[in-house]
Amino acid sequence: MQAIRSILVVMDPQHPEGLALKRAKLIAGVTQSRLHLLVSDKKGDHGAWLNDLSSSLGEEGYAVSTQQAWHDNLHQTIIAVQQAEGCGLVIKQHLPDNPLKKAILTPEDWKLLRYCPGPVLMVKTDRPWTGGTILAAVDVGNADGEHRTLHAGIISHGYDIAGLAKGTLHVITAHPTPMLSAADPTFQLKETIEARYREQCRSFQAEYDISDERLHVLEGPADVVIPQVAHQLDAAVTVIGTVARTGLSGALIGNTAEVILDALESDVLVLKPDEVIAHLEELVAQR
């Protein structure tokens, strides 16, 4: 996270209390990142409001730039600006969609998580991060190179956030239900599955000093287990990953990230592997 040089903050004039800006200031205060404030609106002129914000933030010691833009829709506008400005993090306040609307149309925030070539922090609460629990969710059952790199990034970012918030890092991984018909005997008993998953966690436990008490290996679907544990721990931030690529039906684990976004009561940081980011950058360049 220390490598982030600029942060794109999606501003909403209808919600000027600015939860996204509050989180951006906390991160920029530690990383010395530039803040790029974006209003995504094709109708009204918000220049005066952005100038006032920029001046007050400048007086507080932040490096700030501002922009009002519109490209077809909200998520494409955010992505175009993120690419043009080279922002290493996008921060946006998440407002839940109407369930009926969500059943008919894919929510803009889901599209942003799916297509943005970079980390996205969705801010859901105004609760302070300071001294809170940071929950990093990894899928250690997938041990291919792409997932291993993603796990390292998830835990590293969780560790960084715990550091800047003076909080405590916990890690969760969900494992499948035992199946007597499984070809591998390990997956026929809950105890042997859990032991296998705990063994997979040993290396990052040692690297990031995560005790067994702060490692949660639980049976069940990730989109059910992660929100349950986040609620039990009263997590301030949950860090999750997606290996979703465009064009794959259902976007694979991307769906987990999207479903979890609405189920979680904490802020949510969503990361992608480098290969997926490169693929998404190519798609943006082709537009």
Side-chain angles (χ1 to χ4, degrees):
M1 207 160 218
Q2 294 290 351
I4 295 169
R5 289 287 154 259
S6 58
I7 299 171
L8 176 57
V9 190
V10 182
M11 305 297 295
D12 184 350
Q14 292 181 320
H15 296 88
E17 70 277 9
L19 296 186
L21 183 57
K22 187 176 174 182
R23 297 295 187 243
K25 287 168 69 175
L26 171 68
I27 295 167
V30 175
T31 61
Q32 303 301 304
S33 307
R34 171 177 68 96
L35 299 177
H36 187 71
L37 311 184
L38 169 68
V39 171
S40 187
D41 186 0
K42 62 178 173 182
K43 294 175 186 157
D45 180 3
H46 304 285
W49 179 60
L50 285 170
N51 284 338
D52 289 347
L53 265 176
S54 180
S55 298
S56 61
L57 287 165
E59 286 168 12
E60 291 177 51
Y62 295 97
V64 185
S65 51
T66 64
Q67 182 179 1
Q68 180 172 341
W70 184 257
H71 301 271
D72 297 333
N73 53 48
L74 178 60
H75 78 276
Q76 286 188 357
T77 305
I78 294 168
I79 291 167
V81 173
Q82 182 261 341
Q83 288 289 284
E85 294 292 324
C87 297
L89 175 65
V90 174
I91 304 183
K92 182 183 181 297
Q93 183 172 348
H94 175 64
L95 299 168
D97 282 270
N98 169 310
L100 180 60
K101 181 183 171 189
K102 195 192 299 181
I104 301 165
L105 300 168
T106 304
E108 282 291 316
D109 282 358
W110 284 19
K111 290 178 185 172
L112 182 62
L113 293 186
R114 207 178 282 185
Y115 301 126
C116 183
V120 180
L121 174 64
M122 289 287 182
V123 184
K124 297 191 67 173
T125 75
D126 59 357
R127 205 167 34 143
W129 283 5
T130 310
T133 296
I134 314 303
L135 182 63
V138 293
D139 176 15
V140 296
N142 274 308
D144 58 68
E146 191 170 63
H147 276 89
R148 279 204 306 274
T149 308
L150 181 59
H151 300 158
I154 290 169
I155 294 167
S156 172
H157 276 76
Y159 191 74
D160 287 349
I161 294 170
L164 73 88
K166 299 179 174 59
T168 308
L169 177 64
H170 285 246
V171 177
I172 178 169
T173 186
H175 69 72
T177 302
M179 287 175 57
L180 289 175
S181 59
D184 183 342
T186 301
F187 291 96
Q188 293 176 5
L189 290 171
K190 180 183 175 181
E191 291 74 16
T192 51
I193 299 175
E194 185 175 329
R196 162 85 63 93
Y197 272 62
R198 285 192 177 276
E199 191 55 42
Q200 299 275 50
C201 297
R202 291 283 174 245
S203 60
F204 68 68
Q205 277 189 272
E207 185 176 352
Y208 293 101
D209 191 24
I210 298 159
S211 64
D212 285 347
E213 293 75 35
R214 290 190 283 121
L215 175 67
H216 309 271
V217 181
L218 297 168
E219 177 188 327
D223 55 3
V224 174
V225 171
I226 295 168
Q228 282 176 349
V229 172
H231 177 74
Q232 288 163 8
L233 296 173
D234 195 23
V237 189
T238 304
V239 187
I240 58 179
T242 172
V243 293
R245 278 199 172 83
T246 56
L248 293 184
S249 61
L252 300 177
I253 196 175
N255 270 354
T256 304
E258 292 155 8
V259 171
I260 286 174
L261 175 64
D262 289 335
L264 283 165
E265 296 156 12
S266 67
D267 293 347
V268 188
L269 176 63
V270 180
L271 307 175
K272 300 182 185 76
D274 292 342
E275 295 91 333
V276 173
I277 287 173
H279 174 70
L280 293 171
E281 284 176 341
E282 284 172 21
L283 292 178
V284 176
Q286 287 165 12
R287 281 205 188 108

